[in-house]
Amino acid sequence: MTEGFDRGDDHAEHTARWIPSGQVFLLDGAQGFGRCGVAGEDHQLQFRTVSVACPMWVPLVENKEFDSPGADYFVKKYVDELFTQEPEIDTVILGCTHYPLLIDKIRREIGSRATIVTQGELVGASLADYLRRHPEMDAKCTKGGSCEFLTTENPDKFTELAEIFLQTPLKASRIDL
């Protein structure tokens, strides 16, 4: 059980837009149930969370099989498992950075039964909201910079996977820490 936390009225109102009825499903690598809360001046949101593990989704993505019949099978399997366990779920949060590569299949299986929210949407909206409320932090952010990709692992493997996610060519370099 997670107690409510105060992030200000804007944060509570923003969260309410993502979670209309309080029934949330988290597709991730773990399985569990819980309650979470968000508090603000005019909002006290309580929502129930249900988590279903989807252990085959990451290997499908990392092995470039996310557009295969096997991916169709495993997406359908886990989505069916969700709605069998919890038919009242109305919001599905994709709790892994790999899952957006399966988004078309996930959308097809979920259909109109629930709203789908990706981590990128949540993080992006939360960061934009934070920077709007803290212009002093926004002023410190470099605009129009470049990216350098460094990894402690195999740079070729990193590059291969990063290009799948970012959908752009890149070059990673290995570093020792």
Side-chain angles (χ1 to χ4, degrees):
M1 169 94 67
T2 304
E3 296 300 320
F5 54 94
D6 184 357
R7 293 257 182 105
D9 191 51
D10 287 346
H11 184 73
E13 186 175 312
H14 172 75
T15 303
R17 287 193 300 261
W18 294 108
I19 306 168
S21 76
Q23 297 293 323
V24 178
F25 171 63
L26 176 64
L27 285 169
D28 67 0
Q31 192 162 12
F33 298 87
R35 292 199 172 288
C36 297
V38 179
E41 285 179 31
D42 297 328
H43 295 81
Q44 180 66 38
L45 304 175
Q46 293 296 319
F47 48 92
R48 183 170 165 272
T49 60
V50 178
S51 179
V52 172
C54 305
M56 291 304 299
W57 288 8
V58 168
L60 285 166
V61 169
E62 289 188 351
N63 290 293
K64 298 181 185 176
E65 294 292 328
F66 54 89
D67 200 24
S68 71
D72 292 336
Y73 170 81
F74 283 109
V75 167
K76 180 173 180 20
K77 174 182 170 130
Y78 297 132
V79 169
D80 287 349
E81 180 180 327
L82 159 68
F83 285 100
T84 298
Q85 286 182 25
E86 297 290 332
E88 300 302 313
I89 294 292
D90 74 352
T91 305
V92 174
I93 299 174
L94 302 183
C96 176
T97 55
H98 290 64
Y99 296 174
L101 291 171
L102 297 165
I103 191 74
D104 292 337
K105 294 174 185 320
I106 295 167
R107 280 192 180 116
R108 183 180 64 234
E109 292 303 325
I110 290 175
S112 62
R113 296 183 283 183
T115 299
I116 301 170
V117 180
T118 65
Q119 282 185 337
E121 291 173 284
L122 288 172
V123 171
S126 181
L127 177 59
D129 178 60
Y130 176 84
L131 292 174
R132 180 186 55 75
R133 291 182 290 112
H134 299 277
E136 72 282 3
M137 295 304 293
D138 186 42
K140 292 179 181 180
C141 293
T142 302
K143 311 289 192 287
S146 61
C147 292
E148 182 177 5
F149 298 92
L150 305 173
T151 181
T152 57
E153 300 296 324
N154 180 324
D156 294 332
K157 180 68 173 170
F158 179 93
T159 297
E160 181 182 338
L161 289 173
E163 287 178 346
I164 292 169
F165 289 100
L166 300 175
Q167 309 222 335
T168 188
L170 61 94
K171 178 79 171 128
S173 300
R174 186 177 188 306
I175 72 166
D176 293 312
L177 299 178

